[in-house]
Coordinates of all heavy atoms in Angstrom, one line a residue:
M1 N 47.2 -54.6 101.0 CA 46.7 -55.1 102.2 C 46.7 -56.7 102.2 O 47.1 -57.3 103.1 CB 45.4 -54.5 102.6 CG 44.9 -54.9 104.0 SD 45.9 -54.1 105.2 CE 44.7 -53.6 106.4
H2 N 46.2 -57.2 101.1 CA 46.1 -58.6 100.9 C 47.5 -59.3 100.9 O 47.7 -60.3 101.6 CB 45.3 -58.9 99.6 CG 45.0 -60.4 99.4 ND1 44.1 -61.1 100.2 CD2 45.6 -61.3 98.6 CE1 44.1 -62.3 99.8 NE2 45.0 -62.5 98.8
Q3 N 48.4 -58.7 100.2 CA 49.8 -59.2 100.1 C 50.4 -59.1 101.5 O 51.1 -60.1 101.9 CB 50.6 -58.5 99.1 CG 52.0 -59.0 98.9 CD 52.0 -60.5 98.5 OE1 51.3 -60.8 97.5 NE2 52.7 -61.3 99.2
L4 N 50.3 -58.0 102.2 CA 50.8 -57.9 103.5 C 50.3 -58.9 104.5 O 51.0 -59.5 105.3 CB 50.6 -56.5 104.1 CG 51.6 -55.4 103.5 CD1 51.1 -54.0 103.9 CD2 53.0 -55.6 103.9
S5 N 49.0 -59.2 104.4 CA 48.3 -60.1 105.3 C 48.8 -61.5 105.0 O 49.1 -62.3 105.9 CB 46.8 -60.1 105.2 OG 46.3 -60.6 104.0
E6 N 49.1 -61.8 103.7 CA 49.7 -63.2 103.4 C 51.1 -63.3 103.9 O 51.5 -64.3 104.5 CB 49.6 -63.4 101.9 CG 48.3 -63.7 101.4 CD 48.3 -64.0 99.9 OE1 49.3 -64.0 99.3 OE2 47.2 -64.2 99.4
D7 N 51.9 -62.2 103.8 CA 53.3 -62.2 104.3 C 53.3 -62.3 105.8 O 54.1 -63.0 106.4 CB 54.0 -60.9 103.9 CG 54.3 -60.8 102.4 OD1 54.2 -61.8 101.7 OD2 54.6 -59.7 101.9
L8 N 52.3 -61.7 106.5 CA 52.2 -61.8 107.9 C 51.9 -63.2 108.3 O 52.5 -63.7 109.3 CB 51.2 -60.8 108.4 CG 51.1 -60.6 110.0 CD1 52.4 -60.2 110.6 CD2 50.0 -59.6 110.3
A9 N 50.9 -63.8 107.6 CA 50.6 -65.2 108.0 C 51.8 -66.1 107.8 O 52.0 -67.0 108.6 CB 49.4 -65.7 107.1
S10 N 52.5 -65.9 106.7 CA 53.7 -66.7 106.5 C 54.8 -66.5 107.6 O 55.4 -67.5 108.1 CB 54.3 -66.4 105.1 OG 55.6 -67.0 104.9
T11 N 54.9 -65.3 108.0 CA 55.9 -64.9 109.1 C 55.4 -65.5 110.4 O 56.3 -66.0 111.2 CB 56.0 -63.4 109.2 OG1 56.5 -62.9 107.9 CG2 57.0 -63.0 110.3
E12 N 54.1 -65.5 110.7 CA 53.6 -66.2 111.9 C 54.0 -67.6 111.9 O 54.4 -68.2 113.0 CB 52.1 -66.0 112.0 CG 51.6 -64.6 112.1 CD 51.9 -64.0 113.5 OE1 52.4 -64.7 114.4 OE2 51.7 -62.7 113.6
N13 N 53.9 -68.3 110.8 CA 54.3 -69.7 110.7 C 55.8 -69.9 111.0 O 56.2 -70.8 111.7 CB 53.9 -70.3 109.3 CG 52.5 -70.5 109.2 OD1 51.7 -70.7 110.2 ND2 52.0 -70.4 108.0
K14 N 56.6 -69.0 110.4 CA 58.1 -69.1 110.7 C 58.4 -68.8 112.1 O 59.3 -69.5 112.7 CB 58.8 -68.1 109.8 CG 58.7 -68.4 108.3 CD 59.4 -67.4 107.5 CE 59.2 -67.7 106.0 NZ 59.7 -66.6 105.1
I15 N 57.7 -67.9 112.8 CA 57.9 -67.6 114.2 C 57.5 -68.9 115.0 O 58.3 -69.2 115.9 CB 57.0 -66.4 114.6 CG1 57.6 -65.1 114.0 CG2 57.0 -66.3 116.2 CD1 56.7 -63.9 114.2
S16 N 56.5 -69.5 114.6 CA 56.0 -70.7 115.4 C 57.1 -71.8 115.3 O 57.4 -72.5 116.3 CB 54.7 -71.2 114.8 OG 54.3 -72.4 115.4
R17 N 57.7 -72.0 114.1 CA 58.7 -73.0 113.9 C 60.0 -72.6 114.7 O 60.6 -73.5 115.3 CB 59.0 -73.2 112.4 CG 57.9 -74.0 111.7 CD 58.4 -74.5 110.3 NE 58.7 -73.4 109.4 CZ 57.8 -72.7 108.7 NH1 56.6 -73.0 108.7 NH2 58.3 -71.7 107.9
A18 N 60.3 -71.3 114.6 CA 61.5 -70.9 115.3 C 61.3 -71.0 116.8 O 62.3 -71.4 117.6 CB 61.8 -69.4 115.0
R19 N 60.1 -70.8 117.3 CA 59.8 -70.9 118.8 C 60.0 -72.4 119.2 O 60.6 -72.7 120.2 CB 58.4 -70.5 119.1 CG 58.3 -69.1 119.7 CD 57.0 -68.8 120.3 NE 55.8 -69.4 119.6 CZ 54.9 -68.7 119.0 NH1 55.0 -67.4 118.9 NH2 53.9 -69.3 118.4
K20 N 59.6 -73.3 118.3 CA 59.7 -74.7 118.6 C 61.2 -75.1 118.7 O 61.6 -75.8 119.7 CB 59.0 -75.6 117.6 CG 59.0 -77.0 117.8 CD 58.2 -77.8 116.7 CE 58.1 -79.2 116.9 NZ 59.3 -80.0 116.8
A21 N 62.0 -74.6 117.8 CA 63.4 -74.9 117.8 C 64.1 -74.3 119.0 O 64.9 -75.0 119.7 CB 64.1 -74.4 116.5
Y22 N 63.7 -73.1 119.4 CA 64.2 -72.5 120.5 C 63.9 -73.3 121.8 O 64.8 -73.5 122.6 CB 63.7 -71.0 120.7 CG 64.0 -70.4 122.0 CD1 65.2 -69.9 122.3 CD2 63.0 -70.3 123.0 CE1 65.5 -69.3 123.5 CE2 63.2 -69.7 124.2 CZ 64.5 -69.2 124.5 OH 64.7 -68.6 125.7
N23 N 62.6 -73.6 122.0 CA 62.2 -74.4 123.1 C 62.9 -75.7 123.3 O 63.3 -76.2 124.3 CB 60.7 -74.6 123.2 CG 60.0 -73.3 123.6 OD1 60.5 -72.4 124.1 ND2 58.7 -73.3 123.2
E24 N 63.2 -76.4 122.1 CA 63.9 -77.7 122.1 C 65.4 -77.4 122.6 O 65.9 -78.2 123.4 CB 63.9 -78.3 120.8 CG 62.5 -78.9 120.4 CD 62.4 -79.4 119.0 OE1 63.3 -79.2 118.2 OE2 61.3 -79.9 118.7
A25 N 66.0 -76.3 122.1 CA 67.4 -76.0 122.5 C 67.4 -75.7 123.9 O 68.4 -76.1 124.6 CB 67.9 -74.9 121.6

């Protein structure tokens, strides 16, 4: 559960960066 929550937090950060790139495009 701990590892999955860390992976999820990392993925949330990647989604945030991808959203920023998408909005700029």
Side-chain angles (χ1 to χ4, degrees):
M1 186 68 136
H2 186 73
Q3 183 61 50
L4 284 169
S5 70
E6 286 183 4
D7 290 347
L8 186 58
S10 171
T11 300
E12 295 289 350
N13 289 333
K14 290 175 184 173
I15 290 169
S16 180
R17 287 192 298 273
R19 262 195 322 250
K20 182 177 185 288
Y22 168 77
N23 284 342
E24 288 172 355

